[in-house]
Amino acid sequence: MSSTSKNLGIISLWAVAECGLGGIMHGMKIPFTGIVIGSISVVCLYFIALYSEHKKQAIIEATATVLMIKLIASPHSPWQAYVAVSFQALMAIVFLTGNRITKVNTFLFAIITQLESALQRI
């Protein structure tokens, strides 16, 4: 299986989580929507970086795709959701585009993106 086809599956999962699950949770006013959806995004971005040869380009393309799908499928999403997705992508580029993806970098990436999501509520 090529890295492109793996990435398409991961991007699809990420978009469905953002639009479908995120839209349902937001619409039903379920608490911790950002943390749940952000966690799925972190896992998807990690796997995109892990399986890609050109990590930075793959992360940017995946994020743009997810944001476009999110805008079309869930126009009711608050603007903070788009900020969170963009911030997650930025942090993925910062922490996951090196030669080796280490456990420390992955942990920092996850913690910082979750903190940003939690701080949006304050």
Side-chain angles (χ1 to χ4, degrees):
M1 191 181 255
S2 71
S3 66
T4 304
S5 61
K6 287 180 187 176
N7 281 351
L8 289 177
I10 296 167
I11 292 168
S12 299
L13 173 67
W14 185 15
V16 167
E18 286 284 342
C19 301
L21 184 60
I24 290 169
M25 289 180 77
H26 174 70
M28 296 177 69
K29 298 187 186 315
I30 296 174
F32 305 109
T33 300
I35 300 294
V36 172
I37 302 304
S39 299
I40 295 169
S41 298
V42 164
V43 171
C44 290
L45 283 165
Y46 169 78
F47 282 118
I48 289 169
L50 185 67
Y51 292 126
S52 299
E53 294 174 17
H54 306 288
K55 296 176 185 352
K56 185 176 177 181
Q57 179 182 354
I59 290 169
I60 291 170
E61 288 174 359
T63 304
T65 303
V66 168
L67 286 173
M68 284 188 290
I69 292 170
K70 183 176 182 68
L71 183 62
I72 293 167
S74 294
H76 61 277
S77 294
W79 63 270
Q80 293 94 339
Y82 297 97
V83 172
V85 172
S86 301
F87 183 79
Q88 291 160 357
L90 179 65
M91 290 299 103
I93 290 169
V94 169
F95 287 107
L96 302 178
T97 56
N99 290 337
R100 263 188 59 218
I101 298 175
T102 64
K103 290 180 183 179
V104 173
N105 284 352
T106 305
F107 182 75
L108 287 173
F109 163 60
I111 293 298
I112 289 172
T113 56
Q114 295 303 318
L115 281 174
E116 185 269 341
S117 179
L119 289 174
Q120 278 189 359
R121 296 302 276 171
I122 295 177

